[in-house]
Structures are given as structure tokens and as C-alpha cells.
Amino acid sequence: MIALALVSLVLLGAVPLYFGFRTLSRDPVFDTLDALDVPGWATAKTVDDVSGSRWCLIECRLRERTITSERSPEDTVKVYEAALRQDGWRPWHVAMCPAEEQKGSYTCWRKEELTLDLWVRAPACVPPPVDGEPAIVPSPDPSTAAETCTGSLVSVKVRNAIDDERTRPLPSTDPPLTGEEPLPTLTGDPLGEPTSSPS
């Protein structure tokens, strides 16, 4: 009877504990990005980075993923945009997307309570240093660069919509809405007439 009670206790406690720990240790947004229907060549190498709090304490969570693709930026953009649409993401045309001009394709997306920035561009092909020597900047000649530098680089940033400044209304600078106070005009002596002192 004691053995049966111990087995029941282990099963009832260990299984929920395992799944609870697994849920807390892995961000579900990355699971969603992993499930995107993109070919293997579009996810040759993946690096994830997370900052902020999952429960938006002080700062909401920012999920960043950098992906190396084996094909051109044009081919890579097509498969990622198709996969995002298939997963329920919708293009989001908003000011400050991007905040400043970027090379390549930069698009913004929304799905439920999340926003996503997708930036696909040609990779920065600087060779690594050799034997402590500084890296040599590649030749600006496009024909030689094409031989050594192929593929594309993908950056994905996912934020909570409530923490994305682009979801907030922009302040208006229209004077009729803010109101203007006219300068007060003073008439006569602002201190009034002098009073006679008692004798």
C-alpha cells in the first residue's frame, strides 16, 4: 500500500513538475517560429536571444532570432512571408517600420497580441581574422564578392503589442486640439487704488 502511494505521488507530482519546468524554460514564441513551414536551406543556422520579462514586469520580453539562409535574399523573403501568412500573421503597414532606412527587405507583421519585424538582407561577408591578423575588408567589386559571399541573413524580432511603441497613438501637434492661452491684458493699475492709512 505504501509503495502504491509513493508511485502515485511521484506520478502526480513529477509529471506536472516536468511539464511546468519545460513551459517556463522554453518561450512559446520560439516554438511558433520553429514550426514555420520553411525549407531547410532557409534555416541553415539559428541563434536566439531573449531580453525582458515574460510577464512584462518593468520591461516586456523581446525575442530576437538571427537566421542564416543558404539562398538569395529574394528567395528567402518569399518563403518566410508565405510561412508567416500560413501561420496566421498579417502584414502590418505602420509608421516607423522600419524606424530608419535599411538595406534589403524589412516588413512588419501582427498576430493576436504580438508584433513581428522581419528583415532579410545580403550577409556582411567579412572573413574572420587569421593568426591574430585583422580581418581584411572584402573587395567592393561585385563579381568577386558574389563568388565568396552567398546566401542571406534573416533577423526576426517579436514583441508584445502592448510594449511596441508603434501600437500607441502618436501625439498630435494640432493647436486647435491642444488649445492656446491668449496673453492676459492688464487694464489699469494691477495693485488697485492706494488705501488711506488710519490716523
Side-chain angles (χ1 to χ4, degrees), residues 43 53-54 67 69 118 123 167 194:
T43 57
S53 166
R54 178 180 292 188
I67 308 158
S69 171
L118 174 68
T167 61

Side-chain angles (χ1 to χ4, degrees), residues 4 30-31 106:
L4 185 61
F30 287 124
D31 292 337
Y106 198 108

Side-chain angles (χ1 to χ4, degrees), residues 73-166:
E74 292 78 17
D75 293 340
T76 305
V77 166
K78 288 178 187 173
V79 297
Y80 272 96
E81 289 187 352
L84 287 171
R85 281 189 177 91
Q86 185 179 356
D87 193 45
W89 291 89
R90 294 293 164 247
W92 185 35
H93 306 287
V94 65
M96 296 177 60
C97 178
E100 54 189 50
E101 195 64 31
Q102 302 285 357
K103 291 182 179 179
S105 169
Y106 198 108
T107 54
C108 296
W109 303 75
R110 279 198 75 166
K111 179 183 178 185
E112 297 166 359
E113 76 279 0
L114 298 173
T115 65
L116 181 145
D117 290 27
L118 174 68
W119 181 26
V120 182
R121 64 212 178 270
C125 297
V126 177
V130 179
D131 297 329
E133 294 294 320
I136 301 169
V137 178
S139 168
D141 182 13
S143 61
T144 59
E147 295 172 6
T148 58
C149 186
T150 58
S152 56
L153 197 59
V154 181
S155 293
V156 178
K157 291 184 181 183
V158 182
R159 287 178 263 203
N160 292 55
I162 60 169
D163 194 46
D164 194 330
E165 64 275 358
R166 297 170 298 183

